[in-house]
Amino acid sequence: MSTAASLREIGRQLDDPASLGRAVDELLAARIEPPTMLALGEPTHGIEAFPLLRNEILSHLVERGYRSIVLETDFFAASVVDAYVAGAPAEIDTVLATGFSHGFGAVPGNRELVEWLRAHNAGRAPQDRVRFHGFDAPVEYSGAPSPRRSLSAVIDYLPAALRPESVRELDTLLGEDADWTNQAAMFDPAASIGDSDRARALRIVADDLASALRRAAPGLRPADPTGYDHALAHARTALGLLRYHAAMAGPAADRIATLLSLRAEMMAENLLAIVAQEQRRGPSLVFAHNGHLQRAQSDPSSGDDVNWGNAGALVGLALGERYVFLATDASPDSDPGTFQRALSEATARRALFPAQALRAALPASLGTAKPIVPGHIPLSPTDLDGADAVIFITDTDGKRHQYW
């Protein structure tokens, strides 16, 4: 049997919502434990086919008891969207502009997602609404913000009697926000404040605040679980930002890889916090770049031997069988002899391929297609080791919407 014939036999064709639902149900039913989190990846941002697929899958999963959607957007900004889809008055254009980081509110499919969530939630009790979460850290390629906002949020939440003595010097230690946001620090360690005496002292303050918050949980959280969880998120964000700034100040050869790994750690902490918040309501669908969600270690860009875990690897380690990763890819005009050409020849529109069966059916000689747009990271056969299945989309032109 030819490779194309073998793959057509393995693949579950996703021609309509019904066939998509059946394929997803089959994938999840094969798990030893029911998933807590289904992670759906995309190979790049801004190509419409992937968010639209996400929207279809979410609609089906909600019928199966899923009660939250988690996107690769800022953890705190997402609260704007969550409030809107729960019925809060607002203009949707404002919600899309302020509730998504990285400009993702302009990505095709996200407006439709927000509108669908608001319409679905209308008239439903809180426990039956589909919540909207973000799990990204508040960092950009240009640098990272001051920890002021997060440290202040924890202090404001804690009763005065529970605030540690170390917070008395907070304003002096923080200084000006411009000290932290200097964009030159991303590429020049000497321009970073992260290894200063002030920054090191702030790490003690942040640790003291996080400890105080955890120790006071029995008296604080029952009366205000949402407020407590929000303060706890700020506490871990402050610690993460201070670690990030310290790494920016480091001269090590693997500095950029370390920064990427620290972002991944913050992402993973946010995802696990969301799992804890949502565990009594239902599982979550998370959507982000394949590289963040695959259940494998990511290769550092520096080319060194250091191999840090990405968010999917960290969350997968914690959740085990309860974490499922579904990768996606597309390549309209891939070259013969590539992984992408083999998958495209097995479907006229799109298909789901279980990773284990797909791995066994592929010839060892397959290569990887070229990126279809800058930033597209095509899947390779070795990526199957970090995935439970792959959805390959053939009927897309691969054009990317300019969202930034």
Side-chain angles (χ1 to χ4, degrees), residues 17 49 73 121 133 136 139 173 177 250 275 337 361 363:
T73 193
N121 289 340
H133 298 281
D136 204 354
V139 298
L173 295 174
D177 285 353
V275 168

Side-chain angles (χ1 to χ4, degrees), residues 203 236 238-247 262 265-266 269:
R203 295 179 78 173
R236 66 174 179 268
L239 286 164
L241 284 174
L242 287 163
R243 287 192 294 267
Y244 197 89
H245 279 288
L262 287 169
E265 180 187 24
M266 295 174 75
E269 289 176 342

Side-chain angles (χ1 to χ4, degrees), residues 65-249:
Y66 280 62
R67 289 296 177 265
S68 57
I69 173 76
V70 190
L71 300 192
E72 183 187 337
T73 193
D74 180 80
F75 183 91
F76 298 105
S79 63
V80 173
V81 184
D82 189 48
Y84 180 75
V85 302
E91 294 293 330
I92 188 168
D93 288 337
T94 301
V95 171
L96 293 171
T98 61
F100 290 82
S101 57
H102 316 306
F104 287 165
V107 170
N110 283 341
R111 178 183 290 268
E112 293 84 349
L113 170 66
V114 172
E115 290 175 335
W116 183 87
L117 288 169
R118 185 174 171 93
H120 173 84
N121 289 340
R124 282 184 162 83
Q127 65 268 24
D128 293 325
R129 295 174 189 158
V130 181
R131 294 198 61 191
F132 182 96
H133 298 281
F135 75 98
D136 204 354
V139 298
E140 298 284 355
Y141 291 114
S142 58
S146 164
R148 180 188 305 276
R149 177 193 176 200
S150 285
L151 290 170
S152 298
V154 181
I155 293 170
D156 290 345
Y157 177 80
L158 278 172
L162 299 181
R163 296 170 188 170
E165 286 294 319
S166 56
V167 305
R168 293 182 180 275
E169 301 297 322
L170 182 64
D171 286 338
T172 300
L173 295 174
L174 285 168
E176 299 295 327
D177 285 353
D179 296 341
W180 301 90
T181 57
N182 182 3
Q183 294 187 5
M186 193 67 188
F187 303 100
D188 179 9
S192 173
I193 193 176
D195 193 39
S196 66
D197 290 344
R198 286 194 289 142
R200 287 194 293 272
L202 279 169
R203 295 179 78 173
I204 296 174
V205 176
D207 185 66
D208 287 347
L209 283 168
S211 175
L213 200 56
R214 289 192 298 268
R215 286 180 285 126
L220 296 177
R221 194 178 189 281
D224 182 18
T226 300
Y228 179 86
D229 289 343
H230 191 74
L232 195 62
H234 274 297
R236 66 174 179 268
T237 297
L239 286 164
L241 284 174
L242 287 163
R243 287 192 294 267
Y244 197 89
H245 279 288
M248 289 175 72

Side-chain angles (χ1 to χ4, degrees), residues 1 12 40 43 47 56 72 87 89 124 132 151 153 166 186 237 247 267 270 280 309 326 341 349 360 376 402 404:
M1 184 183 296
R12 312 305 199 262
L40 176 69
I47 295 179
E56 284 189 64
E72 183 187 337
R124 282 184 162 83
F132 182 96
L151 290 170
S166 56
M186 193 67 188
T237 297
M267 285 178 153
N270 287 336
R280 294 184 180 179
L326 181 54
R341 173 61 71 86
R349 185 186 178 203
H376 172 225
Q402 192 82 13
W404 61 91

Side-chain angles (χ1 to χ4, degrees), residues 311-390:
L314 297 170
V315 173
L317 188 64
L319 297 183
E321 276 285 313
R322 294 179 295 139
Y323 181 77
V324 178
F325 173 53
L326 181 54
T328 66
D329 202 3
S331 186
D333 300 304
S334 49
D335 293 331
T338 63
F339 183 38
Q340 284 67 25
R341 173 61 71 86
L343 293 180
S344 68
E345 291 176 346
T347 177
R349 185 186 178 203
R350 60 190 187 184
L352 183 151
F353 302 90
Q356 186 174 357
L358 181 57
R359 189 184 302 109
L362 292 175
S365 59
L366 282 184
T368 303
K370 298 176 182 177
I372 56 179
V373 292
H376 172 225
I377 303 178
L379 292 175
S380 70
T382 57
D383 290 326
L384 295 174
D385 294 336
D388 295 288
V390 172

